[in-house]
Amino acid sequence: MEIQKQDNRDGRPKSFLFFMFIFLFGLAAFFLCLSAEFQKAKGKDLKWDGESCYLPENRAFGLGIAALVCVSVAQIVGNVVICRGFTKTDKTRTTIFCIILLLFSWVNFAVAVTLISVGASMNREQIYGKGWLNRECYLVKDGVFAASGFLSVTTMAAILGAFAFKVKPSLQVENHDKRHTQNV
């Protein structure tokens, strides 16, 4: 009777740890985006000297950068874990649904990163005579950070869906193999 060692800690598979890691970083990105929405520069912060404008740096810049890091780490780790599963074993099949979820996550990720990056850069200090673009000062419109937070959540939902879809069949195959080897 051959008993295989389980790939777990305290009865939980390692995949649960990756799932929680991706979920927590995605959740952090969402809350950082919402915080940036409420901390962004407003019209009252804008100073005008007649020829040029000045806008001081505010907290939304740092919050946006932190959100950008969180959503990027979650996206990359999620894709590495899922894609490693594609090439590692033939026990699981790559389904079209899993691939569609991955592609959807990358499209949402690209749009979210663009919105977060532009919003964060507009909240950097815009000094007299330089501004943000074409020597003019710009303010982030209402809802840009909130929309990027929503896109971060949909990105993570797609990654976690693909992850769960990919891990579930492999766990079923492993459990079936374990039951089979214990009966022999």
Side-chain angles (χ1 to χ4, degrees), residues 50-119:
E51 288 183 24
S52 57
C53 60
Y54 173 77
L55 192 63
E57 184 174 316
N58 73 33
R59 291 183 181 172
F61 173 71
L63 293 168
I65 296 300
L68 193 62
V69 169
C70 286
V71 75
S72 297
V73 167
Q75 178 75 7
I76 292 167
V77 168
N79 276 274
V80 166
V81 169
I82 293 168
C83 291
R84 185 189 66 182
F86 285 158
T87 59
K88 188 175 180 183
T89 181
D90 289 334
K91 289 182 180 179
T92 60
R93 291 182 308 153
T94 303
T95 63
I96 192 73
F97 183 68
C98 190
I99 293 170
I100 289 171
L101 283 175
L102 285 175
L103 290 174
F104 181 72
S105 77
W106 277 106
V107 170
N108 279 346
F109 174 73
V111 175
V113 164
T114 302
L115 288 175
I116 294 170
S117 299
V118 169

Side-chain angles (χ1 to χ4, degrees), residues 115-176:
L115 288 175
I116 294 170
S117 299
V118 169
S121 71
M122 283 185 185
N123 279 284
R124 278 192 97 177
E125 182 180 32
Q126 299 178 31
I127 60 175
Y128 286 111
K130 286 198 173 186
W132 184 71
L133 184 67
N134 296 331
R135 305 180 86 191
E136 295 180 15
C137 292
Y138 287 84
L139 296 172
V140 179
K141 286 191 165 224
D142 291 337
V144 170
F145 282 114
S148 62
F150 175 75
L151 286 169
S152 297
V153 167
T154 57
T155 299
M156 292 311 110
I159 284 291
L160 293 175
F163 183 71
F165 209 80
K166 189 69 180 164
V167 168
K168 185 178 175 185
S170 66
L171 288 177
Q172 288 174 349
V173 168
E174 288 174 11
N175 287 340
H176 177 69

